[in-house]
Structures are given as C-alpha cells and as structure tokens.
Amino acid sequence: MDSSSLQKAGLIGLIATLGAILLWGFFEMGFWPSLSFESDPTELAGENIEVSLLPAAERGDVRSQWFLGLVYLNGEDAPQDLAKAAKWFRRAAEQGHPAAQLNLGRMYQLGEGVERDLIEAYKWMSLASDSFPKSDGRTQAETTRDIIAQQLQPEEMEQARQAVAEWRSKKEDGRE
C-alpha cells in the first residue's frame, strides 16, 4: 500500500471516528431529540441496514439519509461505496443536518466519493459550523473550514463565500 493510500485510509477512518463522536455528542447535549426527525434509523434497520434504511431515506428522513451515508462510508453493514456515502450525506446536508454537512465537506476536501473541490468543502464546512450548536462538532467544522481557507486563492475564497451566501439565500427563500 503506497503512502497516498495509507493517508486516504487514515482520513476515512478519521471521518468515521468523527461521525461517531458527533453522534455521541448529539446524544449527550440533548440535541438529538430537538432536531425533530421522523424516526430513529437504528430502529428502522433490520438484518440488512442498507435495505432497511433506504425507504425512509428516499422519503426524505434526514437521520436515515445521514446514517445511510455512514453505512456506505464505513462499509460495515454494506459494501463501502464512497460515492453513495456522498450522495446520502448531500441529501441530509441539504436539509441542514450538521454532521452530514461536516462529512460531505470532508469528502470534498479529500476527494473521496466526489471530485476534490475545496470551494465546495469550504461551503459545507461553513454551513456545518453555522448548523451545529456550540460543540466539538462546531469547533471541528470551523477549524477545518479555516484550514481549507488557507489553501484557497483569493478569487477561490470569494467563490466559496459566494457559494455559502447563495445556499443560505436559497434556504431562506424556501427554494431548495
């Protein structure tokens, strides 16, 4: 395994670990119930989590979408598929799920499951930092966003800020 593959594997492990930490943090902060999700994805899951979660995720259940993204990212209950992970994280992220926004931003930062795009990574990290309550998740999103900002050229930074502003404006206007 070359050093690039090792680095990618380590970063994927980091993303999975951060997802678990965020999950625990939501529960500990009492944030979990206040997000008013339709159902608990782990209760929906049967023998085959991928198949069990799919109907709820397709109906728009944000927690099922995020959880399905984790399933595909980790490859534990279904074959690992980073493109599918990104798809489900995006669906949840577009509904404002902070952990999904963080995961999607990392995927864009690393080019895992999506084409590497630091402008998109910055956008999703900015949105995650706004969506999280004051927590480790917010700190992680802000820190990563600031690291990405240092890698952008001034014109790219302007594009990234514009992308964040457009997304926020679209959400405020109800255009999704």
Side-chain angles (χ1 to χ4, degrees):
M1 190 179 267
D2 61 39
S3 65
S4 174
S5 295
L6 283 173
Q7 183 181 22
K8 286 181 181 180
L11 291 172
I12 289 171
L14 176 63
I15 290 171
T17 301
L18 290 174
I21 290 169
L22 293 172
L23 183 63
W24 176 80
F26 283 154
F27 180 75
E28 287 295 310
M29 294 180 315
F31 181 64
W32 195 280
S34 68
L35 290 176
S36 66
F37 296 117
E38 289 180 18
S39 56
D40 181 354
T42 57
E43 290 176 11
L44 295 172
E47 291 284 318
N48 185 330
I49 290 177
E50 175 187 23
V51 172
S52 299
L53 291 176
L54 200 53
E58 288 175 341
R59 280 194 314 273
D61 180 69
V62 69
R63 277 179 59 194
S64 295
Q65 292 169 343
W66 173 68
F67 196 75
L68 200 52
L70 288 177
V71 166
Y72 287 122
L73 178 68
N74 296 328
E76 291 178 17
D77 297 306
Q80 184 181 44
D81 187 328
L82 298 178
K84 284 184 180 179
K87 168 189 167 181
W88 290 110
F89 285 144
R90 174 178 299 286
R91 285 181 139 181
E94 288 174 348
Q95 293 187 66
H97 192 285
Q101 292 171 333
L102 178 69
N103 286 91
L104 185 60
R106 291 227 190 249
M107 293 185 87
Y108 273 111
Q109 179 186 20
L110 303 173
E112 296 291 335
V114 293
E115 188 172 324
R116 186 170 192 255
D117 185 336
L118 293 180
I119 293 170
E120 278 292 299
Y122 180 92
K123 175 181 97 174
W124 289 113
M125 288 300 173
S126 292
L127 296 170
S129 68
D130 292 346
S131 298
F132 272 113
K134 191 167 184 136
S135 66
D136 288 341
R138 176 182 280 185
T139 302
Q140 292 168 8
E142 290 171 342
T143 300
T144 305
R145 178 201 59 207
D146 295 345
I147 290 169
I148 293 167
Q150 294 174 1
Q151 299 171 12
L152 296 173
Q153 298 298 318
E155 61 276 359
E156 293 172 320
M157 191 64 227
E158 182 55 35
Q159 291 174 6
R161 287 187 180 124
Q162 184 64 35
V164 172
E166 286 174 8
W167 194 89
R168 286 180 183 147
S169 175
K170 182 174 83 170
K171 280 299 195 191
E172 288 172 5
D173 293 345
R175 296 173 288 142
E176 298 180 42

